[in-house]
């Protein structure tokens, strides 16, 4: 059944005037007549009586109108609801997270947004280790929750949400594996895994230092592009990894020992975004992120555990 025929029939049944029906439907009078005649041929009988002065429904036309109208109205309402849902779904916030801890915080914010802004959809994706700002700059992310330092002049960031210490991941049989803690000076002679990709030099120096604070050289291991690859190489004795303290809780595995790093500058987590994005949604996300961070309780009593700010 042609939807245009049914709609034209119902409007004409209400207006009982070809000119007004044509105006409402934004059709010509000839097109209205054509649609009505086509429906009458489909039914096999006249639905209207037409004179030079008036248009009236036949008995069959009246019955058809009464039976069709509630169904047609239901279809129109369903289409309107679908269109409204589609418009609401267009409000999508793409959020990146740099570490499992950041991802946990992002999901906490997402749960709150489902209550406070049910029309805002949040799509979550991990920030590539080998390209920490590329997806944000390209527009794949509207914002990201990342560990600092971030010194990108074209990006904005909010206040610190969480801080945590770092650990050194070493092979289980490594000379440092049995220690309760190490210092940055103990990194001398350790071959740290490197990161392959578009990584700013200041970021590389912080996460992959080449010298200890006292100036002693730190060795270099193979280059990696992701955390799982890095931990696999650590377990295989190919190098060590300087990483966030929570990784020890999220990725405990045979062959890898995690040793806290003392007297180290803590990692700081902040929301970062590019100017010109969806500012209202970004501000709301940042506000809720601060609430979620404050509501967090330490999941580990260790000194390097993440702490709300």
């Amino acid at each position: 059944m042609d939807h245009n025929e049914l709609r034209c029939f119902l409007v004409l049944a209400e207006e009982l005037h070809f000119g007004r029906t044509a105006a409402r439907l934004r059709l010509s009078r000839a097109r209205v007549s054509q649609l009505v005649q086509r429906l009458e041929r489909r039914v096999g009988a006249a639905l209207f009586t037409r004179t030079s002065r008036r248009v009236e429904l036949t008995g069959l036309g009246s019955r058809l109108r009464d039976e069709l109208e509630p169904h047609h109205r239901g279809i129109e309402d369903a289409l309107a609801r679908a269109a409204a849902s589609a418009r609401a779904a267009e409000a999508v916030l793409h959020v990146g997270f740099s570490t499992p801890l950041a991802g946990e915080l992002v999901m906490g914010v997402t749960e709150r947004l489902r209550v406070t802004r049910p029309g805002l959809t949040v799509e979550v994706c991990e920030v590539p280790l080998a390209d920490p700002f590329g997806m944000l700059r390209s527009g794949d992310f509207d914002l990201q929750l990342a560990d600092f330092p971030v010194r990108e002049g074209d990006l904005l960031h909010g206040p610190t949400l969480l801080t945590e210490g770092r650990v050194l991941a070493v092979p289980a049989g490594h000379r440092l594996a049995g220690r309760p803690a190490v210092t940055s000076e103990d990194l001398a002679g350790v071959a740290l895994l490197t990161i392959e990709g578009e990584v700013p030099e200041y970021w590389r120096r912080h996460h992959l230092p080449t010298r200890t604070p006292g100036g002693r050289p730190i060795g270099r291991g193979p280059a990696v592009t992701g955390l799982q690859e890095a931990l696999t190489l650590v377990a295989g004795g190919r190098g060590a990894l300087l990483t966030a303290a929570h990784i020890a809780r999220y990725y405990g595995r045979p062959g890898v020992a995690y040793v806290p790093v003392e007297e180290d500058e803590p990692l700081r987590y902040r929301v970062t975004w590019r100017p010109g994005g969806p500012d209202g949604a970004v501000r709301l996300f940042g506000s809720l992120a601060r609430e979620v961070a404050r509501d967090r309780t330490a999941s580990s009593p260790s000194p390097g555990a993440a702490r709300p700010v």
Side-chain angles (χ1 to χ4, degrees):
M1 184 65 69
D2 190 321
H3 176 73
N4 292 325
E5 293 175 9
L6 296 181
R7 188 166 181 236
C8 185
F9 165 72
L10 290 171
V11 173
L12 183 58
E14 180 183 343
E15 294 288 350
L16 296 177
H17 190 282
F18 278 84
R20 290 195 296 271
T21 298
R24 276 182 59 177
L25 297 177
R26 297 183 179 180
L27 300 173
S28 67
R29 291 177 62 132
R31 179 59 176 163
V32 171
S33 295
Q34 182 186 45
L35 290 171
V36 171
Q37 289 169 6
R38 197 162 70 187
L39 180 59
E40 288 177 326
R41 286 196 299 271
R42 191 187 302 278
V43 171
L47 301 174
F48 297 92
T49 58
R50 309 159 177 84
T51 68
S52 58
R53 294 187 177 182
R54 59 191 307 176
V55 177
E56 293 182 344
L57 282 162
T58 64
L60 179 61
S62 294
R63 289 196 300 275
L64 182 61
R65 176 201 59 195
D66 294 343
E67 292 179 4
L68 279 178
E69 196 168 39
H71 298 291
H72 186 266
R73 186 167 56 248
I75 292 172
E76 293 288 326
D77 290 346
L79 289 172
R81 287 193 296 271
S85 297
R87 287 193 297 272
E90 289 175 358
V92 179
L93 193 64
H94 296 89
V95 180
F97 63 92
S98 63
T99 67
L101 177 64
E104 185 179 294
L105 185 55
V106 165
M107 295 309 298
V109 176
T110 300
E111 289 298 321
R112 297 200 182 190
L113 283 171
R114 287 176 182 166
V115 176
T116 60
R117 283 283 298 277
L120 179 62
T121 301
V122 180
E123 298 288 347
V124 178
C125 183
E126 186 175 7
V127 176
L129 181 63
D131 188 10
F133 308 112
M135 294 185 73
L136 182 60
R137 285 197 173 99
S138 67
D140 292 313
F141 295 151
D142 297 308
L143 62 92
Q144 64 188 42
L145 183 58
D147 49 306
F148 272 52
V150 175
R151 300 171 191 154
E152 305 298 302
D154 60 329
L155 300 178
L156 305 174
H157 59 80
T160 298
L161 302 172
L162 297 171
T163 65
E164 69 170 335
R166 292 197 287 184
V167 294
L168 182 67
V170 295
H174 194 273
R175 61 182 176 81
L176 299 177
R179 293 195 183 184
V182 296
T183 69
S184 297
E185 286 299 323
D186 292 319
L187 298 179
V190 173
L192 287 181
L193 298 177
T194 59
I195 296 175
E196 184 177 286
E198 300 295 325
V199 180
E201 186 56 34
Y202 70 85
W203 195 93
R204 192 185 299 273
R205 285 196 304 270
H206 179 79
H207 292 279
L208 307 165
T210 58
R211 291 189 176 275
T212 69
R216 294 192 293 167
I218 299 173
R220 278 287 174 263
V224 299
T225 59
L227 180 60
Q228 291 290 356
E229 179 186 0
L231 293 177
T232 299
L233 292 181
V234 171
R238 301 286 302 280
L241 178 68
L242 190 60
T243 187
H246 74 275
I247 297 300
R249 302 194 306 276
Y250 282 81
Y251 293 98
R253 57 190 293 170
V256 177
Y258 295 97
V259 188
V261 180
E262 293 182 339
E263 302 173 1
D264 188 36
E265 181 182 350
L267 296 177
R268 303 179 186 277
Y269 290 87
R270 301 182 184 183
V271 173
T272 303
W273 67 97
R274 67 184 186 283
D279 292 340
V282 169
R283 285 195 298 271
L284 176 60
F285 189 96
S287 175
L288 290 177
R290 289 191 292 275
E291 292 181 10
V292 172
R294 284 196 299 266
D295 292 346
R296 282 182 56 92
T297 56
S299 58
S300 169
S302 63
R307 298 180 176 85
V309 175

